[in-house]
Amino acid sequence: GAGVSQSPSNKVTEKGKDVELRCDPISGHTALYWYRQSLGQGLEFLIYFQGNSAPDKSGLPSDRFSAERTGGSVSTLTIQRTQQEDSAVYLCASSLEISNQPQHFGDGTRLSIL
Amino acid sequence: AQSVTQPDIHITVSEGASLELRCNYSYGATPYLFWYVQSPGQGLQLLLKYFSGDTLVQGIKGFEAEFKRSQSSFNLRKPSVHWSDAAEYFCAVGARQSGSEKLVFGKGTKLTVNP
């Protein structure tokens, strides 16, 4: 079966533009997580979803970041008015249940802000 | 809040040699503990996890880890390393409380395997 799918795999955009990153979790997985990986900060938690609900948004760096999940499946992470410090690899993961923690990661979206 | 330290940024071993990657955590109670591996350009793969019970945990690819509460450690071991094990390894800690499902990751240890 398919694993966690993320698109695009690479995104280059100009500072100030909005970007939308997509995550398609493994079918039937109720828990979905977004993490960010950068050279300076390492791996950072952004947000997780239990179904369509996001109980913990504490990791979102600023109000320019938002995420949603619809139909208990696909999730999108949106960054508005991108800044150079947003350059990173954005990783999505899913699990059958929230208590299992992130089990299956996608290959990530590499975001570069010029 | 929990935290993780991986003291070794880079480790080099010869193929066939044994391996131990160190991980120390800080958390006020018994945490959830994880080891992940990441190959270049790819996402993370879960190697093993500790939730409760037996403190020696077996994982995939011949890896094991031992939870030592007295030392706040969760070191990863493998008796004989293969060239394909070259990758970056991340230890992570999770809090045992509902509504706090984030993992805190260490900075990673890059493993190089010499032939």
Side-chain angles (χ1 to χ4, degrees):
Chain A
V4 177
S5 177
Q6 291 187 247
S7 60
S9 55
N10 283 282
K11 176 73 175 178
V12 180
T13 192
E14 293 179 347
K15 176 182 171 181
K17 300 286 188 183
D18 297 352
V19 295
E20 195 171 275
L21 311 180
R22 176 187 169 107
C23 173
D24 209 331
I26 293 172
S27 178
H29 280 197
T30 62
L32 185 147
Y33 311 79
W34 284 98
Y35 282 79
R36 178 168 75 171
Q37 186 173 27
S38 59
L39 282 175
Q41 301 299 322
L43 278 153
E44 302 172 277
F45 168 81
L46 296 178
I47 190 171
Y48 84 91
F49 289 89
Q50 176 62 33
N52 292 334
S53 173
D56 185 359
K57 302 180 182 180
S58 65
L60 294 177
S62 74
D63 58 8
R64 296 186 295 104
F65 287 72
S66 62
E68 66 174 11
R69 188 179 186 195
T70 55
S73 181
V74 172
S75 175
T76 54
L77 178 68
T78 301
I79 309 173
Q80 295 178 310
R81 304 180 303 281
T82 51
Q83 303 294 312
Q84 287 189 332
E85 61 263 28
D86 299 334
S87 296
V89 177
Y90 289 81
L91 293 166
C92 177
S94 70
S95 295
L96 197 58
E97 299 174 353
I98 195 71
S99 58
N100 290 342
Q101 298 286 356
Q103 298 257 346
H104 305 275
F105 277 82
D107 288 341
T109 293
R110 181 173 297 277
L111 178 63
S112 300
I113 310 298
L114 302 179
Chain B
Q2 63 267 45
S3 66
V4 178
T5 301
Q6 293 181 247
D8 304 304
I9 297 173
H10 192 181
I11 283 184
T12 300
V13 299
S14 298
E15 191 168 15
S18 63
L19 173 71
E20 182 167 30
L21 302 182
R22 295 183 291 163
C23 172
N24 292 97
Y25 68 89
S26 174
Y27 182 61
T30 302
Y32 296 135
L33 293 161
F34 305 79
W35 275 99
Y36 292 85
V37 61
Q38 184 178 36
S39 297
Q42 296 187 8
L44 283 76
Q45 181 180 23
L46 179 65
L47 287 175
L48 49 78
K49 61 186 179 183
Y50 172 77
F51 279 10
S52 64
D54 194 345
T55 56
L56 184 62
V57 180
Q58 301 297 321
I60 62 171
K61 304 185 179 187
F63 286 94
E64 67 177 26
E66 186 170 12
F67 168 56
K68 292 187 177 180
R69 185 192 308 273
S70 62
Q71 298 177 20
S72 297
S73 70
F74 189 58
N75 294 348
L76 182 71
R77 300 193 294 249
K78 186 169 185 178
S80 178
V81 170
H82 188 262
W83 64 267
S84 60
D85 294 324
E88 191 154 20
Y89 292 79
F90 293 92
C91 180
V93 60
R96 287 179 180 266
Q97 54 187 98
S98 176
S100 178
E101 305 299 339
K102 74 173 185 179
L103 291 185
V104 174
F105 285 84
K107 297 293 187 185
T109 297
K110 184 176 181 180
L111 175 66
T112 298
V113 181
N114 287 334

